[in-house]
Amino acid sequence: MAVSAENSPETHLPEHLVQKLQTRFFVALLPPAEIQAYANKVIQDLTQRYRTRTSQSPPHITLQPPFLLPQERLADLSTSLQNFADEQPAVPVFLSNFAAFAPRVLYLNVVKTPELLALQAALSKHLMIDSMVDASQQERRPYVPHLTVASRQMTRQIFQQAWSELQTQTVDFQFIADRLTLLIYIHQEWQIQAEFHLAKR
């Protein structure tokens, strides 16, 4: 006999157990290899000198923060992202020096260009319309594009020491972001699940 959704065992589980049946995803722009190599060098240097850490993921610029979705909806999510990417042009991305969310996060500053802000806003709206992300999982603060280099084990003292060094350094990178990257949280780290090429300019 078929089990209706109303009588499904999952509907009677505590919410924290229901969430365990879901998978965490996020959507990002991954920079080219040379920028990733530079970011990883900064991350490793900060780790060795100050024992700071970042999330276990490739260097990236988040577009859609982490959200929960049942694993069985991965195909729907992939289709949604492909449909979105097919309609969006590639965008220029500029990284300029370091910046901080005091007193906990150090990052490579990503310039808030109109093209990048429009891409992020459109993606956020699209994922909500397609019921991939609901309002409760959307970031409520204004979008600030960035590439994190330290965000864990950051005391105020360590933050001040590391920030005093980074803020004097000059960084200047640019690239054309021509694809969205979907990352999935597996085995305590973020792994690349799929890439979706943006429409040519």
Side-chain angles (χ1 to χ4, degrees):
M1 182 176 68
V3 179
S4 69
E6 293 180 1
N7 296 322
S8 170
E10 291 182 10
T11 63
H12 301 292
L13 290 173
E15 186 169 345
H16 72 281
L17 291 180
V18 172
Q19 289 193 351
K20 286 184 178 179
L21 300 174
Q22 297 183 314
T23 303
R24 294 175 72 198
F25 299 94
F26 79 93
V27 183
L29 300 176
L30 267 59
E34 62 269 22
I35 299 178
Q36 289 203 43
Y38 175 81
N40 277 323
K41 183 177 183 300
V42 173
I43 291 168
Q44 291 165 7
D45 182 58
L46 292 172
T47 298
Q48 292 171 358
R49 298 178 62 196
Y50 298 109
R51 297 185 180 179
T52 61
R53 294 189 301 113
T54 62
S55 63
Q56 296 297 308
S57 63
H60 64 273
I61 301 164
T62 300
L63 289 179
Q64 172 61 50
F67 58 97
L68 291 168
L69 200 67
Q71 180 72 35
E72 59 266 26
R73 295 203 64 198
L74 176 57
D76 294 336
L77 176 59
S78 296
T79 298
S80 177
L81 289 171
Q82 187 61 68
N83 290 340
F84 176 80
D86 286 344
E87 300 296 324
Q88 299 294 322
V91 298
V93 177
F94 304 90
L95 292 90
S96 179
N97 304 329
F98 289 94
F101 299 130
R104 297 292 183 207
V105 180
L106 299 169
Y107 60 88
L108 278 163
N109 180 55
V110 178
V111 179
K112 292 194 279 187
T113 63
E115 296 91 343
L116 179 56
L117 295 179
L119 176 65
Q120 189 277 331
L123 176 63
S124 176
K125 181 178 180 180
H126 175 85
L127 291 175
M128 289 188 65
I129 290 174
D130 275 7
S131 300
M132 299 296 123
V133 178
D134 61 40
S136 67
Q137 297 190 85
Q138 289 289 18
E139 180 62 65
R140 300 185 185 280
R141 294 170 293 186
Y143 178 60
V144 179
H146 61 282
L147 195 159
T148 301
V149 295
S151 60
R152 309 288 173 86
Q153 298 180 198
M154 182 82 73
T155 66
R156 289 179 179 273
Q157 181 179 7
I158 288 174
F159 174 86
Q160 291 296 339
Q161 290 176 325
W163 177 227
S164 66
E165 296 178 12
L166 291 182
Q167 66 183 329
T168 64
Q169 297 183 25
T170 299
V171 178
D172 183 19
F173 289 112
Q174 59 182 348
F175 68 97
I176 298 296
D178 62 357
R179 69 198 67 188
L180 305 178
T181 300
L182 175 66
L183 294 102
I184 183 172
Y185 194 67
I186 300 177
H187 305 310
Q188 306 301 309
E189 67 177 10
W190 290 101
Q191 301 178 13
I192 295 174
Q193 172 66 33
E195 293 185 324
F196 306 90
H197 288 263
L198 298 168
K200 295 186 181 297
R201 303 187 69 177

